[in-house]
Amino acid sequence: MEAERLGHRVLDGAALETPATAKAFRMRAERAPDRRQIHAAAALAGVTGLLVLIGQWVDLLVPIAIFAFGFLVILVGGLWQQHARLKDERRLLATRPWQVWPCRVQKLRGRRRAGVTACRVDLLARNGAVVRSGKADLPTALWNAMTDGVGTLWICGDLRRPYLIAAPGGTAWTLCHPEDPPEHRVHITIQT
C-alpha cells in the first residue's frame, strides 16, 4: 500500500470498523432509497409506458402521460444510481482501511453545486512531492477547513481507481476520481 510505503499512518481494520464511520454509513443507508422504492417507481413507469403504447389515454392526456413516463424513467435511473453508489461505498469501506494522507487542494473552475466545491486533490509524500492527484466534489465545509489549501484527508480504496476521501474522523466522505500520474501524461510541444 502506497501510504505505508511512504510512512503515512494506516488505521487498523476496515474503514467500516471505525465507530464514527459505521454510524455515518448507517445514517446514509437509512436516507438512501431501498430496492422496494426503486421497484415501485420502475413498475409505475412500466405501467405508464405500456398505457402510452397501447393508447389508453384521451388525446388531451397523451402529452401528460408521456411527460409522466419520462419523469418516472429519470426518477428510476436516479434512485438506482444512488443505490449503486451506496453499494460501492459499502464495499470499499468494508474491505479497505482508512489511510491518513497530507494533501493539497485546489479549487477547480466551472462546475458549481450547492454545498460542494469542485477540487483537484493532490496526495503528498512527506517531502511535499505529489504522489497522486484526483478530482472530487469536497463538502464546502471541508474545503473551507483546508487553510491555504493544505491539510489532511483520510483515504479509503485503491489510488488507481475511484476512492473515497473524508475529513479526519471518517464521517463525511465523497468519491475522488484519480487522474493519470504525471509520468503517464503526454505533453506535446510544437516547435516552429
Side-chain angles (χ1 to χ4, degrees), residues 33-191:
D34 63 10
R35 285 182 179 261
R36 291 176 299 187
Q37 292 170 320
I38 296 170
H39 291 174
L44 190 56
V47 168
T48 304
L50 184 63
L51 290 175
V52 167
L53 286 175
I54 61 174
Q56 293 299 312
W57 299 94
V58 178
D59 287 340
L60 295 173
L61 296 178
V62 170
I64 295 171
I66 292 172
F67 175 77
F69 174 70
F71 173 77
L72 288 169
V73 167
I74 292 170
L75 177 69
V76 168
L79 291 174
W80 186 255
Q81 184 180 16
Q82 286 180 355
H83 178 74
R85 186 176 347 142
L86 187 69
K87 187 176 172 183
D88 290 344
E89 288 176 358
R90 185 181 194 315
R91 180 185 49 78
L92 277 173
L93 292 168
T95 59
R96 302 285 185 151
W98 283 120
Q99 308 165 36
V100 181
W101 280 86
C103 66
R104 179 176 55 234
V105 294
Q106 302 162 336
K107 188 175 185 177
L108 297 175
R109 295 181 187 260
R111 305 180 316 175
R112 293 188 185 267
R113 267 188 21 221
V116 297
T117 302
C119 297
R120 170 171 285 109
V121 179
D122 294 330
L123 302 179
L124 307 174
R126 289 187 181 266
N127 64 3
V130 175
V131 177
R132 293 275 197 263
S133 284
K135 292 181 180 177
D137 290 332
L138 291 180
T140 301
L142 179 56
W143 161 256
N144 291 335
M146 296 278 189
T147 308
D148 298 325
V150 178
T152 301
L153 289 174
W154 284 18
I155 307 296
C156 182
D158 184 339
L159 300 178
R160 298 170 295 175
R161 295 176 183 83
Y163 51 89
L164 300 176
I165 58 175
T171 56
W173 55 84
T174 189
L175 198 60
C176 186
H177 298 277
E179 295 178 316
D180 288 333
E183 64 269 10
H184 291 106
R185 293 185 187 150
V186 176
H187 298 280
I188 300 173
T189 305
I190 300 174
Q191 296 179 356

